[in-house]
Amino acid sequence: METAIKYFYMLLKTLKGRHYLLLFLVPVLFLFLWIKAFISPVSLTPGQDQMPLYELLQQLTGGSIIALNIVGAAILILLSLLAVRLNERYVFIRQRTDLPAFVFALIATGTVSLYGMHPALLASFLLFFAIDCVFAVYHGSRTLAKSFEAGMFIGLATVTYLFSGIYLLWFWVALAFLGYFRPREILAGFVGFLLPVFVVLSWYFLNDNLTGLLQTISSLYNFEFSAEYSMFQKVYWGILAAFVLIASAFMANVVEEKKISSRKYFMILFVFFLTAIGNYFIFSSAGTELYFLLLIPTTFIVSHYFVLSRYSWVKEILFILFVVASILVHFLG
């Protein structure tokens, strides 16, 4: 046991730094933990019509589940690297670290019913860029352009995964946290949101298929989600929720030590997290796929704790629990 703790301590210490090993380790970890998506691929949207942007992706991949899953794996790997880049750009975790990529990989693959591509995964990728744009607004330069871009990415996410539209409200809340809740930024974001929606509606109207689109939206909205999960999968979600609570409590305890910008960024990420949770309770047809929307905020909340917590032995034990549970869920979940 002592030897295992020693190795995990070395792993945590290594991942907290900056290493080119990341470029090799994270993709390999993803492919190892997500291998079932390629060995025995299963559609996560069987027999369901989907929003236009995802339908376009299905057409481009020829409807091949394996091809879609390859795209999904590429998105997850890219998101893990972009998570590191986002912290490097805004430094809200007060250290340049590769740990978010590793944490993201473990969390992203931690729900065994989501081995594969889903519209919510593509929407999560688009919403990541909305987060980036919102953070950029705080710098005060090109606030209108960045507000427009944030709204546009939310609009693109909405025509990919219907329940992403609620993130327009998150955007307005984020503007309030940043001190830019002004008519011009609000309007710029709203116009950006409407642009992809308008283009899609116009395309379907010109092709005399607007009724078909409205029927798809209605069927997605009225779909009754139901699923059963193993006990260990539920235990893993419970462990992950406990980590979020512990990390959030730690963050609240050290918030006064942070720069004002870091506080605002973390509050925006936390509201992003709550928006996904709210989606689950507001819309009965929104289900496990919302897990994909939780990935970015959960990754940063958990990574912040592992990087900055001063209680070394507690942190090491929790890190062991996190890694072991994230791997075991693939065998027991």
Side-chain angles (χ1 to χ4, degrees), residues 287-300:
T288 318
E289 73 277 1
L290 290 171
Y291 186 83
F292 284 130
L293 301 184
L294 293 170
L295 294 179
I296 295 298
T298 303
T299 292
F300 285 122

Side-chain angles (χ1 to χ4, degrees), residues 246-315:
I246 292 170
S248 298
F250 171 74
M251 191 182 302
N253 191 47
V254 300
V255 69
E256 294 302 325
E257 303 173 12
K258 294 188 170 300
K259 296 188 300 182
I260 295 176
S261 60
S262 296
R263 297 180 208 171
K264 291 179 182 291
Y265 294 149
F266 271 115
M267 284 303 301
I268 289 168
L269 287 170
F270 192 67
V271 174
F272 191 99
F273 177 91
L274 292 179
T275 303
I277 298 296
N279 248 338
Y280 182 80
F281 290 102
I282 294 171
F283 303 107
S284 61
S285 47
T288 318
E289 73 277 1
L290 290 171
Y291 186 83
F292 284 130
L293 301 184
L294 293 170
L295 294 179
I296 295 298
T298 303
T299 292
F300 285 122
I301 292 169
V302 173
S303 296
H304 176 266
Y305 173 77
F306 284 135
V307 170
L308 298 178
S309 174
R310 300 183 183 93
Y311 304 104
S312 59
W313 68 271
V314 175
K315 180 171 62 178

Side-chain angles (χ1 to χ4, degrees), residues 3-4 9 18 27-28 55 73 83 86 91 94 111 118 123 169 214 226 248 256 272 289-290 296 298 302 313 333:
T3 304
Y9 172 74
R18 300 303 322 277
V28 169
E55 288 278 3
L86 191 71
V91 198
R94 199 176 57 247
T111 296
H118 190 279
L169 299 178
L214 296 177
S226 63
S248 298
E256 294 302 325
F272 191 99
E289 73 277 1
L290 290 171
I296 295 298
T298 303
V302 173
W313 68 271

Side-chain angles (χ1 to χ4, degrees), residues 31-254:
L31 294 177
F32 171 71
L33 297 178
W34 233 42
I35 192 68
K36 290 182 181 178
F38 309 108
I39 294 177
S40 52
V42 177
S43 174
L44 301 185
T45 57
Q48 290 179 292
D49 291 330
Q50 296 298 324
M51 294 295 285
L53 204 55
Y54 190 75
E55 288 278 3
L56 177 60
L57 177 61
Q58 288 179 314
Q59 292 175 17
L60 292 174
T61 55
S64 168
I65 299 175
I66 291 181
L68 281 171
N69 289 353
I70 290 173
V71 173
I75 288 175
L76 287 175
I77 293 170
L78 187 55
L79 273 174
S80 69
L81 301 176
L82 287 172
V84 174
R85 174 185 171 276
L86 191 71
N87 184 58
E88 286 184 344
R89 185 174 180 184
Y90 300 105
V91 198
F92 41 92
I93 297 176
R94 199 176 57 247
Q95 183 174 318
R96 296 184 184 277
T97 172
D98 289 338
L99 186 62
F102 183 76
V103 171
F104 181 91
L106 292 177
I107 295 175
T109 58
T111 296
V112 297
S113 61
L114 293 177
Y115 286 143
M117 186 62 176
H118 190 279
L121 175 53
L122 181 54
S124 180
F125 180 67
L126 293 166
L127 289 172
F128 172 87
F129 292 102
I131 293 173
D132 195 349
C133 291
V134 166
F135 284 3
V137 168
Y138 185 72
H139 289 267
S141 61
R142 302 178 62 228
T143 60
L144 291 181
K146 288 300 179 181
S147 295
F148 176 85
E149 290 172 18
M152 183 181 67
F153 282 119
I154 296 171
L156 287 170
T158 303
V159 296
T160 302
Y161 176 64
L162 179 62
F163 304 109
S164 302
I166 197 170
Y167 278 93
L168 184 62
L169 299 178
W170 161 81
F171 167 70
W172 290 334
V173 172
L175 286 180
F177 276 121
L178 295 175
Y180 285 93
F181 192 69
R182 304 181 299 198
R184 57 182 187 175
E185 279 80 14
I186 294 171
L187 184 59
F190 187 60
V191 172
F193 172 80
L194 289 179
L195 179 60
V197 175
F198 175 76
V199 169
V200 166
L201 290 175
S202 299
W203 175 264
Y204 275 78
F205 176 78
L206 293 173
N207 285 274
D208 199 27
N209 196 25
L210 185 59
T211 301
L213 174 61
L214 296 177
Q215 288 175 346
T216 296
I217 293 173
S218 177
S219 66
L220 289 171
Y221 181 80
N222 293 308
F223 175 74
E224 287 297 326
F225 176 82
S226 63
E228 294 184 3
Y229 307 100
S230 71
M231 179 57 70
F232 193 81
Q233 179 69 80
K234 295 177 182 177
V235 169
Y236 177 74
W237 287 337
I239 291 172
L240 196 56
F243 272 113
V244 171
L245 289 174
I246 292 170
S248 298
F250 171 74
M251 191 182 302
N253 191 47
V254 300

